[in-house]
Amino acid sequence: MSGDEHKVLDASGDFQYVVRSGDPVADPQWQSCRLIVTNKRVVLATNGNKQPIPHSNISLPEDPESAVPDDVPPGATVLSVGDNVLLVDASNVSDFAFEYRRATLQGEVILARHPAVVGGVIQDDAEWSKARFRLDDAEVRLQFPGGDSTVFDIDDVGTIETGQSTVLGEQRAVVEVEHTDEQDRSVETHFSGMAHHTDALEALFGAVVEEREDDYELTEMESQVLMALYSGVSPFEMADFVGTTPDDVEEIYQKLLDVGAVDKVRERTEVSLNAQGRNMASEAMSGE
């Protein structure tokens, strides 16, 4: 292992190739292995053999079912490696896909622009910079040159958007992540870098947002209240702002508390948006 390579995960497991050179394997067989994941590669170690696969050669398909000829077994993670597809099942690892994405990013130098947006206002003076990425105990930390850093909980991510933009003179994929900062402001941090970095960032943050989503349908007034909170309207001024009574606002706050969109600050009248609420407010605003 090189000096800048470090182990992130070491577990027993099983793997099987289900596609080789673009063709389905007729009779795929599970093989037991020691599964080692570093910040540089995955190693499938069997008796007398080690199969290292660099992260830059691996992708996790957006639709795993379409990449596998038959059904994906429960608990298995699908890895695409060029024209090959293999399944990995790691023992005693509840979410290998999450841990794999963490490994591809842990300690890596990526590109970041922070804060790119503050309270919905684009920060024209924010510049792209190299930043070292870490995700420990559900806490994202970006370390910038010169000693500056920013930290936020991954569970605090409200929305993510992806697209293409010019980054340091090159057209690159960009992942835009909304969260709150140390001053409790809604901000966006924009991420870019190598393709396997942005793929992992999109999947990592996207999984957090997707896990929170439910089918609750906001009423028009609930949408108005959420958007007002998102825009910075004080909860105490809400009734006048949206044109309803304080009692109606209290009922709406209770409903938003029930669906997990806000957190209670005081027993009556005052609430604050959380990550799910910011996500719901953003979707409501985009539908206006």
Side-chain angles (χ1 to χ4, degrees):
M1 216 178 268
S2 63
D4 62 346
E5 184 176 10
H6 55 270
K7 191 185 301 182
V8 180
L9 178 68
D10 189 341
S12 59
D14 302 281
F15 74 95
Q16 64 170 271
Y17 279 87
V18 293
V19 175
R20 284 190 178 275
S21 301
D23 295 322
V25 176
D27 186 21
Q29 298 292 321
W30 287 103
Q31 297 182 62
S32 295
C33 68
R34 179 184 173 194
L35 181 62
I36 303 169
V37 183
T38 76
N39 59 320
K40 300 293 184 183
R41 55 188 172 164
V42 172
V43 180
L44 305 174
T46 56
N47 290 333
N49 183 45
K50 287 186 178 180
Q51 189 177 160
I53 310 173
H55 293 316
S56 57
N57 294 348
I58 300 174
S59 63
L60 276 68
E62 291 186 14
D63 182 6
E65 295 289 347
S66 67
V68 177
D70 298 315
D71 292 337
V72 180
T77 299
V78 181
L79 303 180
S80 292
V81 185
D83 292 334
N84 302 320
V85 178
L86 67 153
L87 305 178
V88 173
D89 188 3
S91 304
N92 301 319
V93 179
S94 60
D95 190 346
F96 177 76
F98 181 90
E99 295 302 330
Y100 172 75
R101 289 164 181 142
R102 182 207 298 263
T104 65
L105 296 165
Q106 196 75 322
E108 289 290 282
V109 175
I110 61 173
L111 298 174
R113 187 169 174 254
H114 173 83
V117 178
V118 177
V121 179
I122 297 172
Q123 305 299 292
D124 293 327
D125 59 344
E127 297 182 352
W128 286 99
S129 171
K130 292 181 179 180
R132 192 169 296 278
F133 182 98
R134 292 199 65 83
L135 172 57
D136 295 308
D137 298 326
E139 185 178 80
V140 176
R141 177 179 294 274
L142 295 175
Q143 187 71 47
F144 295 95
D148 290 341
S149 65
T150 189
V151 180
F152 61 91
D153 290 338
I154 193 169
D155 290 335
D156 187 48
V157 171
T159 62
I160 68 163
E161 298 287 343
T162 59
Q164 295 284 325
S165 185
T166 302
V167 180
L168 300 180
E170 294 184 19
Q171 194 73 6
R172 296 177 182 262
V174 173
V175 182
E176 302 174 358
V177 178
E178 187 275 342
H179 57 94
T180 55
D181 66 3
E182 295 86 349
Q183 302 174 50
D184 205 29
R185 302 176 301 178
S186 172
V187 302
E188 287 184 16
T189 300
H190 293 180
F191 296 90
S192 191
M194 299 176 65
H196 70 278
H197 289 153
T198 50
D199 286 348
L201 286 161
E202 179 183 0
L204 198 67
F205 291 124
V208 173
V209 173
E210 185 177 341
E211 189 175 343
R212 276 198 310 263
E213 290 180 347
D214 57 32
D215 297 326
Y216 180 73
E217 190 75 27
L218 291 169
T219 67
E220 183 176 350
M221 182 57 72
E222 289 167 353
S223 294
Q224 293 296 321
V225 169
L226 268 181
M227 289 187 287
L229 287 170
Y230 190 78
S231 301
V233 175
S234 166
F236 299 106
E237 301 170 348
M238 186 60 66
D240 289 339
F241 187 85
V242 299
T244 190
T245 67
D247 285 344
D248 286 343
V249 169
E250 286 291 336
E251 289 184 13
I252 291 171
Y253 286 163
Q254 186 56 55
K255 175 55 72 174
L256 296 177
L257 280 165
D258 291 343
V259 301
V262 297
D263 296 322
K264 184 182 291 186
V265 178
R266 293 198 177 96
E267 188 58 32
R268 288 184 59 83
T269 306
E270 190 173 1
V271 296
S272 63
L273 276 183
N274 55 30
Q276 180 172 343
R278 297 195 307 275
N279 189 339
M280 295 168 72
S282 178
E283 290 181 355
M285 293 170 78
S286 65
E288 286 287 292

